[in-house]
Amino acid sequence: MPARPRIPDPQEGQLQLFAYELRELGEGKVSIGWIAGHEQTTVSKAALYAALSGTRVPTERTLSTLLRWWAGNPADEADDIDETYIEPVWAWIERLPRDHEGRRLATAWRARLRSLARRIELERERVPKAERVVIAVPREQQRFIAELTRLIKLTGLEDELWLMLGSFSSRVERYLAGEAIPTDSTCWLLVERLIDFLPQEVDPMDALLRLRRSAEVARTGRARERRVARRSRRASR
């Protein structure tokens, strides 16, 4: 828990290629679950999995966490390094021996991430923002809301979201109101928050897959309705 993300297609773009090759780097190495459970890890399991999905650019902290175990080796790190002028997120690289292969690998991946982030940001700036339209909640999104509502009701605390979700409850209220749809990584995070309150007979993996799939379909339906609304507006001018 959570489930492994779908394998990204490296032919779909640089972000997908980045995630695909990062997954390959981790093949045969310690698992995401093991990394997430380590006392020195400060990144959530959902964020670590999201870095391998090819759906968003990971943060430097997330990538550094994966590379520390997949390119470096904490057992090889020295503990007498002056880290005053070293980037905290990447300090582990300097703790490795000078001839450690992990230094070269991690430095190359860090440069690659920064280049990818800049490229994607420039691409987003060049794309004109879509015309804003108001639409009704599509039927696909209504089914997602029903699935999320069902999952929450299984906890028996549907009237006490704050007890389960804390500050995250405000985002869930937006999902239930049809104002937003969670990303895959947010679905993972949401199920992680709910898992301790679900009945034992509920399979967390099944709950996650159902929620993630319904959210994916909901996003598709919402995008379709927005396209229809924009065409109608242009046609009426």
Side-chain angles (χ1 to χ4, degrees):
M1 185 33 222
R4 291 174 65 87
R6 70 176 183 86
I7 299 177
D9 183 351
Q11 303 299 319
E12 290 184 0
Q14 290 299 309
L15 177 56
Q16 291 75 16
L17 176 63
F18 182 93
Y20 181 85
E21 293 185 350
L22 183 59
R23 290 173 64 108
E24 286 194 323
L25 179 67
E27 286 297 322
K29 310 287 178 54
V30 295
S31 69
I32 291 290
W34 193 92
I35 295 175
H38 195 277
E39 61 180 6
Q40 295 183 30
T41 299
T42 59
V43 179
S44 72
K45 187 187 297 185
L48 295 175
Y49 272 114
L52 307 178
S53 68
T55 57
R56 70 180 186 185
V57 180
T59 65
E60 291 202 11
R61 182 176 297 279
T62 298
L63 179 64
S64 176
T65 299
L66 293 172
L67 293 177
R68 188 182 182 197
W69 301 101
W70 290 353
N73 185 348
D76 296 335
E77 296 174 15
D79 56 8
D80 57 349
I81 302 297
D82 182 1
E83 300 181 6
T84 303
Y85 300 106
I86 300 175
E87 292 178 276
V89 170
W90 299 98
W92 63 269
I93 298 178
E94 297 302 321
R95 293 197 293 267
L96 292 172
R98 287 292 173 185
D99 59 350
H100 199 292
E101 175 66 8
R103 279 178 168 265
R104 184 193 66 80
L105 274 175
T107 300
W109 274 96
R110 177 176 60 186
R112 184 176 175 183
L113 173 64
R114 291 174 177 176
S115 175
L116 175 66
R118 286 194 299 269
R119 186 182 307 119
I120 289 179
E121 185 62 29
L122 287 173
E123 290 174 354
R124 288 174 177 168
E125 290 177 357
R126 287 195 293 265
V127 175
K129 292 185 177 180
E131 183 181 9
R132 186 175 182 84
V133 291
V134 177
I135 61 171
V137 178
R139 60 182 181 279
E140 294 91 345
Q141 189 174 357
Q142 292 174 14
R143 287 196 289 268
F144 162 76
I145 293 171
E147 179 60 31
L148 178 57
T149 300
R150 182 193 71 84
L151 189 60
I152 291 174
K153 283 186 175 180
L154 286 174
T155 68
L157 295 172
E158 61 268 28
D159 295 326
E160 303 290 345
L161 283 182
W162 183 264
L163 291 178
M164 294 187 292
L165 306 173
S167 60
F168 193 61
S169 61
S170 60
R171 294 166 66 180
V172 174
E173 288 170 352
R174 293 189 67 223
Y175 303 149
L176 294 172
E179 297 173 357
I181 303 171
T183 62
D184 283 355
S185 58
T186 304
C187 286
W188 296 329
L189 180 59
L190 178 55
V191 173
E192 278 191 321
R193 296 287 184 94
L194 294 175
I195 190 171
D196 291 337
F197 302 92
L198 292 170
Q200 290 186 348
E201 62 270 18
V202 176
D203 182 352
M205 189 72 71
D206 179 66
L208 170 63
L209 291 176
R210 289 182 57 165
L211 188 66
R212 190 179 67 181
R213 288 168 182 164
S214 62
E216 182 177 357
V217 173
R219 288 192 293 271
T220 301
R222 194 166 184 84
R224 182 200 63 236
E225 293 303 310
R226 282 175 172 163
R227 287 195 300 271
V228 171
R230 291 187 187 106
R231 285 198 296 265
S232 297
R233 175 180 289 183
R234 288 194 292 267
S236 63
R237 288 174 180 171

